[in-house]
Structures are given as C-alpha cells and as structure tokens.
C-alpha cells in the first residue's frame, strides 16, 4: 500500500514539475513582440523598453528581421535625426 502511495505521489510531482517547466518556457522571449531592435535591447509592440536577456535573442531577431534591427545603442545620439 505504501509503495502505491509513493508511486502515485512521485507521478503527481512529476506532472506538476512538467507543467511548471512548460509554463516557464512560454514566459520567455517572444520574437514576435519586438517592434524595433537595437544592440542594447528592443522596443516591444506596446512601446516598452527591454534589454536583451540573452545575446542569442538579439542574434535571432537580427537574422529574422534585419530591416527592424539597428546595430547601435537605442540612445546613441549620432544615429537620431
């Protein structure tokens, strides 16, 4: 009886942990929410500023949307009119 309870408990814990890790992946970076990217971060579609959490995020965005990516800092006064 104890072994069945332990087995069910282990299974339930595994299901919960799996759901938590799946939700954590959804909360991460969404390339579709980037409006304009810069070397130091990006403006999202709601005009909120974000620093790139990972260099790979900037690289992925630049490769997919090179026309919306600028290779300078967003506050670089030499690139603003």
């Amino acid at each position: 009886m104890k072994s069945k309870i332990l087995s069910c408990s282990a299974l339930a814990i595994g299901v919960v942990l799996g759901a938590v890790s799946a939700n954590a992946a959804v909360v991460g970076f969404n390339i579709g929410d980037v409006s304009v990217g810069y070397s130091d971060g990006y403006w999202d579609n709601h005009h909120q500023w974000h620093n790139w959490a990972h260099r790979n995020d900037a690289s992925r965005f630049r490769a997919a949307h090179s026309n919306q990516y600028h290779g300078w800092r967003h506050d670089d006064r030499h690139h603003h009119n």
Side-chain angles (χ1 to χ4, degrees), residues 45-66:
N45 292 321
H46 306 288
H47 203 66
Q48 298 290 318
W49 176 256
H50 303 272
N51 293 321
W52 296 111
H54 306 282
R55 283 187 190 185
N56 189 40
D57 295 342
S59 297
R60 283 181 38 224
F61 181 77
R62 185 178 61 236
H65 303 282
S66 61

Side-chain angles (χ1 to χ4, degrees), residues 6-52:
L6 289 175
S7 295
C8 289
S9 296
L11 179 61
I13 290 170
V15 168
V16 169
L17 291 177
V20 168
S21 65
N23 285 337
V26 172
V27 175
F29 175 70
N30 179 359
I31 198 169
D33 195 34
V34 178
S35 178
V36 180
Y38 294 88
S39 64
D40 60 336
Y42 63 95
W43 292 105
D44 69 17
N45 292 321
H46 306 288
H47 203 66
Q48 298 290 318
W49 176 256
H50 303 272
N51 293 321
W52 296 111

